[in-house]
Amino acid sequence: MPDSLDRPLRLILASSSRYRRELLERLRLPYEVIVPAIDEAPLAGEAPAATALRLAEAKARAVALGIDAGQRALVIGSDQVATFDGHPIGKPGTHEKALAQLQAMRGREVEFHSALCLLDSGDGSAQVEDVVTRVRFRDLPDAELDAYLRTETPYDCAGSAKSEGLGIALLDAIDSNDPTALIGLPLIALTRMLRSAGYPLLRGAR
């Protein structure tokens, strides 16, 4: 619980992602960003959902280790793994790899695991949740896929399509109970966790 409603706990986002920062800004809460230093490689034989959950908590715990013992903070860790035909899909990095991803996924469904962890550095307790989003891609010709990529250059996004931007034109349907999960930070789940931790969510808004 926070020390008082007038002085809430520090809120720290354990992420280097600009997309997660932009999403957290929507809550109008004071927060800090500390980038965790962890190995994000999946473990051998690890299921995609398990990878996302493990890394979300690992990011939060890595940042919590650097917080002074006399302080308390709520640390937000998040990780997303996209899967297609049961295999994880990484960030393409290049135009050629992004085009290959979109070509393989057109007319098909892709599953995104957006894992979230809210860690209380005071006692080490953590709330964790995997928010699943299913996305069905339209069956579009190569020329349209290529034109989209050259317009939005989403090479740092798993799945090669930004649903919050022009990438929505590539999608036929999105099935999720948290619309922000696909972008990278499930805000419905996060606000639920913050309330459970006693954080004065609306009174702390700026």
Side-chain angles (χ1 to χ4, degrees):
M1 295 292 288
D3 297 331
S4 75
L5 289 179
D6 295 322
R7 187 165 58 89
L9 295 173
R10 290 172 63 195
L11 189 62
I12 301 174
L13 177 63
S15 177
S16 62
S17 168
R18 62 186 176 94
Y19 303 111
R20 293 191 178 109
R21 291 197 301 270
E22 290 168 359
L23 285 167
L24 189 53
E25 283 288 336
R26 295 186 187 182
L27 300 184
R28 300 186 179 185
L29 299 172
Y31 72 94
E32 307 164 44
V33 174
I34 300 178
V35 179
I38 66 165
D39 180 358
E40 298 190 33
L43 302 177
E46 188 175 42
T51 299
L53 286 166
R54 177 178 60 82
L55 291 178
E57 186 167 349
K59 291 174 183 178
R61 292 197 179 279
V63 167
L65 286 174
I67 298 173
D68 292 341
Q71 297 181 350
R72 290 181 64 204
L74 295 177
V75 185
I76 303 165
S78 187
D79 191 79
Q80 186 180 77
V81 178
T83 63
F84 174 64
D85 281 349
H87 301 289
I89 305 169
K91 299 174 183 177
T94 68
H95 180 88
E96 291 73 22
K97 290 180 180 178
L99 182 58
Q101 280 190 354
L102 293 178
Q103 288 170 330
M105 297 184 300
R106 58 186 162 196
R108 305 287 299 280
E109 185 175 273
V110 178
E111 190 170 80
F112 291 80
H113 293 272
S114 302
L116 179 68
C117 173
L118 185 67
L119 176 73
D120 187 332
S121 70
D123 59 11
S125 61
Q127 302 177 62
V128 294
E129 184 173 342
D130 174 25
V131 180
V132 179
T133 302
R134 293 176 179 84
V135 176
R136 187 166 64 250
F137 281 76
R138 288 178 171 148
D139 189 357
L140 299 177
D142 288 353
E144 291 192 35
L145 299 180
D146 182 77
Y148 163 70
L149 291 174
R150 295 188 185 281
T151 300
E152 196 156 58
T153 62
Y155 307 135
D156 59 346
C157 296
S160 303
K162 294 182 181 180
S163 63
E164 70 275 25
L166 182 59
I168 198 72
L170 276 60
L171 309 182
D172 195 46
I174 298 175
D175 180 16
S176 177
N177 60 8
D178 194 330
T180 57
L182 185 58
I183 306 172
L185 186 66
L187 293 183
I188 291 177
L190 177 58
T191 53
R192 181 169 55 247
M193 290 179 179
L194 288 169
R195 287 185 182 279
S196 180
Y199 193 90
L201 188 64
L202 295 178
R203 288 188 58 181
R206 52 178 167 82

